[in-house]
């Protein structure tokens, strides 16, 4: 009798990064081409969980920059969430 193979759990690695100047996102899904890693958050299981975390973090940054509560320079983003699969 054969055993069913379990599909390996997919893990997504989460980071907070500081994008280089000139990165101006229009969506929480945007990823800077060049950045410096600030903090390693750790693995996230499943694509939905990783995207939910990234949405919460990046949406807050976008809302602050649009409402004027962020830094004076809107093109300067101090912390951006990135997920690598």
């Amino acid at each position: 009798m054969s055993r069913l193979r379990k599909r390996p759990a997919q893990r997504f690695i989460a980071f907070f990064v500081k994008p280089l100047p000139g990165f101006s996102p229009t969506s929480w899904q945007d990823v800077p081409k060049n950045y410096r890693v600030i903090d390693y958050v750790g693995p996230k299981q499943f694509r939905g969980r990783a995207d939910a975390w990234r949405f919460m973090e990046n949406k807050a940054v976008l809302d602050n920059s649009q409402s004027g509560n962020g830094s004076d320079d809107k093109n300067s983003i101090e912390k951006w969430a990135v997920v690598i699969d």
Side-chain angles (χ1 to χ4, degrees):
M1 185 170 180
S2 64
R3 290 191 293 181
L4 296 175
R5 291 186 187 186
K6 282 181 128 180
R7 190 172 119 203
Q10 194 165 12
R11 296 166 63 112
F12 301 90
I13 308 302
F15 293 98
F16 279 117
V17 301
K18 178 173 176 47
L20 291 181
F23 175 64
S24 55
T26 56
S27 167
W28 64 271
Q29 295 172 319
D30 292 346
V31 177
K33 291 183 182 180
N34 299 308
Y35 53 82
R36 183 174 54 89
V37 175
I38 296 173
D39 190 22
Y40 169 73
V41 177
K44 303 281 183 190
Q45 300 287 63
F46 310 111
R47 171 57 81 182
R49 189 172 292 168
D51 280 345
W53 172 79
R54 191 167 54 130
F55 170 78
M56 296 290 288
E57 298 295 335
N58 293 345
K59 186 76 167 110
V61 171
L62 286 175
D63 290 345
N64 283 340
S65 68
Q66 289 174 353
S67 66
N69 294 337
S71 64
D72 294 336
D73 183 12
K74 290 187 178 181
N75 291 333
S76 175
I77 294 177
E78 297 298 318
K79 186 166 82 168
W80 192 255
V82 176
V83 175
I84 300 171
D85 50 350

